[in-house]
Amino acid sequence: MNDLAGKHIVLGLTGGIACYKAAELCRGLVKQGATVQVVMTQASEQFITPVTMQALSNRPVFTSQWDAREPNNMPHINLSREADAILIAPCSADFMARLVQGRSDELLSLLCLARPIASVRLLIAPAMNREMWAHPATQRNMAQLAADGATLLGVGSGLQACGETGDGRMLEPQELLEDVIAFFQPKLLAGRKVVVTAGPTFEALDPIRGITNHSSGKMGFAIARAAREAGADVVVIAGPVRLATPRGVRRVDVTSARQMLAATEAETPQADVFVATAAVADWRPATESGQKIKKDGSGQPPALSFTENPDILATVARSERAQRGALFCVGFAAESHDLVDNARAKRERKGVPLLVGNIGPSTFGQDDNQLLLVDAQGVVELPRASKLALARQLVAEIARRARPAGT
Ligand code: CTP
């Protein structure tokens, strides 16, 4: 992916052991297509060298406001004017305090102060010992930085370099990268709540066996991530899948269709958008044996009978809020043939304003897909692309059709 193509990021390093993670973060930003200008404080040079950061960013590193390489001798102006964002990672407690006070006696704090505040956002990834993090001074500084318009990316929790355990670790490079990518996405669903079902369901026959559907959950998780990037409050209700939860998304794990329905009905009354990507098993065994069903030696397989599962999408689409348009429902159809006709018929049958069709067998488990959007106006094709790219396009289509928040 080239999610940061065309973006220029000033990556500021301040003094902290988490500087070792900044090397990988820098690499990740570059891999995503960003150009990265590293600026380091003197303290950060105790932890990692400018040589390393220059090699990874492919640009000379700046460490001083007196750097004569700039023809006008004003690196604080030049560097901050070029940037699309300034990311301080790691941001020490001391550097936060300096930002709060508007200090400017070294290059990094100077260029933060000198940046055009409305167009060059400041992203902060704090890193410090848990006691320093919990201290009222730090918490007060964080609140002030947020009030001054900075974006605080939060901290991780766990074992710290000092040997103590708690909050204050810098987020992992991959997490920060996801946050930076999300930061640049348009906030088309700000203030909305989005509920997504994803993955298969598993209907137990006995404690050992059951029936299920093909579904990796990747498309649903990509939609959850894209909706979150667009500023929504997102819940993903996931059947049994092996996928990491996207940053900032709340996850409810379920197994069976009935559990998925219960979880969905608990979440959708406050939602603005419901996207049903789950491959719900249409039937479940009529009875679930408490013990493993054993062969009885007769050579005859056991007689199995099935009961139809509830249709989660159709149930939600019939709700009063969905009927009056306060909850925008989107269905998915995984078909093996006649996609357009099947998708049209399914839209009618489920009673949803938008139905997204795909050819199931060609996308199961893959990282890319192609989609067909069917609504009352007709059919639009989203050509083959990564599931995340398609999810972002779908989110934009949903944002265009769903009612504005609070109406
Ligand atoms: N769906 C659901 N609950 C079910 C079955 C399906 O919520 N019990 C949702 C899926 O999440 C998807 C849409 O309905 O958004 C269509 O799913 P699909 O399995 O393609 O449709 P079915 O109704 O099962 O139709 P058929 O098996 O006849 O193709």
Side-chain angles (χ1 to χ4, degrees), residues 84-85 120-123 151 153 177-187 229:
D84 290 299
V120 182
R121 291 291 292 270
L122 182 59
L123 311 182
T151 300
L153 300 178
L177 194 57
E178 266 191 51
D179 285 352
V180 173
I181 291 169
F183 170 78
F184 285 113
Q185 293 298 319
K187 301 294 171 247
E229 288 177 344

Side-chain angles (χ1 to χ4, degrees), residues 84-136:
D84 290 299
I86 299 172
L87 167 62
I88 312 289
C91 187
S92 65
D94 177 66
F95 197 76
M96 270 191 207
R98 299 169 56 75
L99 287 173
V100 165
Q101 291 188 352
R103 296 280 176 126
S104 52
D105 56 358
E106 52 76 43
L107 179 58
L108 189 56
S109 53
L110 174 59
L111 75 85
C112 289
L113 192 69
R115 80 188 199 278
I117 197 163
S119 57
V120 182
R121 291 291 292 270
L122 182 59
L123 311 182
I124 292 180
M128 66 200 72
N129 163 269
R130 66 190 175 104
E131 298 291 0
M132 294 167 74
W133 171 253
H135 196 285

Side-chain angles (χ1 to χ4, degrees), residues 197 213 257 260 274-283 309-314 330-335 342 346 349-350 355:
T197 62
N213 283 355
M260 190 174 270
F274 173 52
V275 188
T277 71
V280 183
D282 288 326
W283 302 281
N309 264 330
D311 189 318
I312 301 166
L313 177 60
V330 183
F332 263 70
E335 306 292 345
N342 277 319
K346 201 162 278 183
R349 190 149 42 80
K350 303 272 178 175
L355 193 114

